[in-house]
Amino acid sequence: MTVTQTDPPTGPDYNQQETATKQRSSFFDISNLKGDVFGGLTAGIVALPLALAFGEASGAGPIAGLWGAIFVGFFAALFGGTETQVSGPTGPMVVVFAGVYASLQGEPALVFAIVVLAGVLQILLGVFRFGQYIRLVPYPVISGFMSGIGCIIIALQISRLFGHEPDGGGTIPALAAIPGAVMDPNLIAFGIGLLSLIIIFFWPSKLGKWIPSPLAALLAGTGLSLFFPGALPILGDIPTGFPNFILPGFSSDTALIVLEAAFILALLGAIDSLLTSLVADNMTRTRHNSDRELIGQGIGNTVAGFFGAIPGAGATMRTVVNIRTGGTTKISGMLHSAVLFVIVVAAAPLASQIPHAVLAGILIKVGYDIIDFAYISRGHKGPRWDLALMAIVLGLTVFVDLITAVGVGVTLAALAFVKRLADSQLQTIGDQETQIVTPQEDALIQASKGKITIFDFGGPLSFGAAADLGHQVRERVKLHTSAIILDFSKVPFLDVSAARAVETIGRDAKASGKTVYLSGISDDVNDVLVGLEVDDCLPDNTTFKTRLEAIQAAARELEIRPATA
């Protein structure tokens, strides 16, 4: 999914104040009450089949999915930073939670300790303002792991579509179970599941304004299954009433498992929510508060964990439905949860007749929508490395795990970016034609006949460029060059790698009988050079405020006079 964010026309300070004012007042703003009510009702109806399906897919049961939508949806709307966001269980979160639940089945205190801790971590991410950094994850990495999650969801549901349950949890067992399910299908379950898929994919958009396609598939598939009692797997009894409080707990033996799983859930939920926030911004021409959104999502997941509900995040489809049907404030997101609460209290027994195959059809469509077909179809027209990176992350997500996929993806993307940046910086440093900017400098350089060589650092030196800087200078300095001028006028700061590169240049110049002159060094850069004792390998009295002064000093030392003098 490609997100285009429209920047507000005013300055950043004004935007922050305006956004903060809007967030303080919008909860009490009932001027759009009719639109918020309709948006919340519609989003709640859309969320019902998805919450049931996600709950069943997670292993915790459909009721856990409903309560996850209620708790996360209500508290994320109340405390979050995106006015129109509707939150609840999402495909990516359910995939991770299902893996955790399968590996720790029978230990609810441990499973939901992970959910609570994930919520606390999200709150901390918001408090310490990490929202802006989470959004720096490169698009090919996001596309890869989101598409991978879509593939996982589809793989987990294909056997259920044919009326079978895959043995064991995880993607590999699910894939292994598909051939057997296809060869020995429950024809009634498959027929009803196929009907659900057809309804979801081809439901008329005009009817979708009144009855969302997932709800239509749920009603049609469940209604048809009533004519075949006992012929296909159904959800079965669903508990009613308020959920029991679960006291989280873990021991020293399980602390590492809990921390790792909680970190994955927190990070994934943060990325998922903030991506949906960008979609909401683009549709409403507003600007969300990413840190406050993380706090709201964290509170919602923390509460959900205490009551045995599955975790959630900002849900794109439900948010879009809310906006398109009139929702503009927090009231709509909170009302969405209220609608689900009424259904849980009053109509949960009716949901017991829903077939697994119907929910499988709904989730297959969810997985299909998550896969980034738009980028996959056009990726070969862009940088090939980005497409390869997306494929690597997708494969790792499906066959290894999400945290490995994201970690490897971000690392590879960062290394590739630094390599491209370093190549560009080194090329600029060696481009002598762009470095002579005044007639006086040009006259002196021409008169030197190659005895003076300038290296103009056009901006901050990345550690990638710094690592090869000494070698590049050594190659480009001619044998008869006597003076090397390093111009730092455009370098605002210097890290250790760059400082060591300057030290290498100084030592090489000293060994070959050349003099190094420095120009335009700021106080911050000078402090680094002095602190790391790099200045010890440089000649005394060869540092100047401007490049022209450095060139003139080198010319005097070499007794060079311009032809026009």
Side-chain angles (χ1 to χ4, degrees), residues 41 66-67 70 335-349:
L41 285 171
L66 281 174
W67 281 114
I70 291 169
L335 184 60
H336 137 273
S337 295
V339 170
L340 293 176
F341 178 79
V342 172
I343 292 173
V344 167
V345 173

Side-chain angles (χ1 to χ4, degrees), residues 232-311:
L232 69 168
I234 60 175
L235 291 182
D237 292 337
I238 297 177
T240 59
F242 205 75
N244 296 324
F245 181 83
I246 295 178
L247 184 64
F250 58 90
S251 62
S252 57
D253 297 336
T254 58
L256 185 61
I257 298 175
V258 170
L259 287 172
E260 181 181 7
F263 176 76
I264 295 172
L265 278 175
L267 183 62
L268 179 59
I271 294 173
D272 205 3
S273 298
L274 295 183
L275 285 176
T276 303
S277 295
L278 290 176
V279 173
D281 285 353
N282 190 50
M283 293 182 66
T284 60
R285 298 297 185 267
T286 57
R287 189 175 185 178
H288 73 280
N289 184 321
S290 58
D291 296 317
R292 184 170 173 179
E293 183 61 35
L294 291 181
I295 294 173
Q297 294 290 336
I299 293 173
N301 282 314
T302 301
V303 175
F306 279 121
F307 290 96
I310 66 176

Side-chain angles (χ1 to χ4, degrees), residues 58 78 186 262 271 316 327 366 374 392 407 449 515 522 561:
S58 73
L78 179 61
N186 181 323
I271 294 173
T316 303
V366 171
I392 291 171
K449 298 181 180 180
T515 305
S522 67
R561 294 180 178 275

Side-chain angles (χ1 to χ4, degrees), residues 25-34 36 329 331:
S25 62
S26 60
F27 175 70
F28 302 101
D29 182 7
I30 59 174
S31 61
N32 187 50
L33 186 59
K34 181 179 178 180
D36 288 331
T329 75
I331 294 175

Side-chain angles (χ1 to χ4, degrees), residues 74-414:
F74 183 84
F75 289 103
L78 179 61
F79 296 107
T82 310
E83 299 295 308
T84 53
Q85 180 117 290
V86 175
S87 302
T90 64
M93 294 292 280
V94 168
V95 166
V96 175
F97 179 78
V100 171
Y101 192 88
S103 61
L104 301 174
Q105 196 169 15
E107 300 183 58
L110 194 56
V111 171
F112 292 105
I114 293 172
V115 179
V116 171
L117 183 56
V120 172
L121 289 175
Q122 286 182 322
I123 294 173
L124 293 176
L125 287 174
V127 169
F128 290 103
R129 301 185 179 279
F130 276 91
Q132 57 184 322
Y133 299 106
I134 292 174
R135 291 186 295 175
L136 296 179
V137 177
Y139 182 83
V141 177
I142 294 174
S143 175
F145 82 74
M146 292 297 284
S147 297
I149 287 170
C151 292
I152 291 174
I153 292 174
I154 293 173
L156 293 175
Q157 300 305 317
I158 290 179
S159 292
R160 295 186 177 99
L161 187 69
F162 285 86
H164 293 271
E165 190 72 19
D167 296 328
T171 309
I172 304 302
L175 291 172
I178 291 175
V182 173
M183 296 299 294
D184 183 27
N186 181 323
L187 294 179
I188 295 176
F190 177 66
I192 291 176
L194 188 61
L195 173 66
S196 300
L197 273 176
I198 293 172
I199 291 174
I200 294 172
F201 273 96
F202 300 103
W203 190 248
S205 57
K206 293 182 179 180
L207 291 178
K209 296 178 181 179
W210 305 100
I211 302 178
S213 60
L215 182 61
L218 184 71
L219 294 175
T222 304
L224 185 59
S225 70
L226 297 178
F227 293 97
F228 305 95
L232 69 168
I234 60 175
L235 291 182
D237 292 337
I238 297 177
T240 59
F242 205 75
N244 296 324
F245 181 83
I246 295 178
L247 184 64
F250 58 90
S251 62
S252 57
D253 297 336
T254 58
L256 185 61
I257 298 175
V258 170
L259 287 172
E260 181 181 7
F263 176 76
I264 295 172
L265 278 175
L267 183 62
L268 179 59
I271 294 173
D272 205 3
S273 298
L274 295 183
L275 285 176
T276 303
S277 295
L278 290 176
V279 173
D281 285 353
N282 190 50
M283 293 182 66
T284 60
R285 298 297 185 267
T286 57
R287 189 175 185 178
H288 73 280
N289 184 321
S290 58
D291 296 317
R292 184 170 173 179
E293 183 61 35
L294 291 181
I295 294 173
Q297 294 290 336
I299 293 173
N301 282 314
T302 301
V303 175
F306 279 121
F307 290 96
I310 66 176
T316 303
M317 185 173 73
R318 279 154 275 178
T319 299
V320 170
V321 167
N322 176 44
I323 294 171
R324 286 180 176 172
T325 51
T328 59
T329 75
K330 296 175 179 292
I331 294 175
S332 58
M334 296 166 67
L335 184 60
H336 137 273
S337 295
V339 170
L340 293 176
F341 178 79
V342 172
I343 292 173
V344 167
V345 173
L350 298 178
S352 63
Q353 299 301 314
I354 298 175
H356 287 179
V358 172
L359 297 181
I362 294 172
L363 286 177
I364 287 175
K365 179 58 164 62
V366 171
Y368 177 85
D369 289 338
I370 291 175
I371 297 175
D372 192 359
F373 288 109
Y375 177 65
I376 293 173
S377 63
R378 299 194 303 262
H380 66 282
K381 298 179 181 178
R384 296 297 176 90
W385 163 246
D386 287 344
L387 183 60
L389 178 62
M390 183 268 189
I392 291 171
V393 174
L394 191 157
L396 290 174
T397 300
V398 173
F399 296 107
V400 184
D401 60 69
L402 181 67
I403 195 65
T404 300
V406 174
V408 170
V410 170
T411 301
L412 290 176

Side-chain angles (χ1 to χ4, degrees), residues 525-535:
V525 172
N526 186 65
D527 289 344
V528 172
L529 295 177
V530 173
L532 295 175
E533 299 181 357
V534 174
D535 58 326

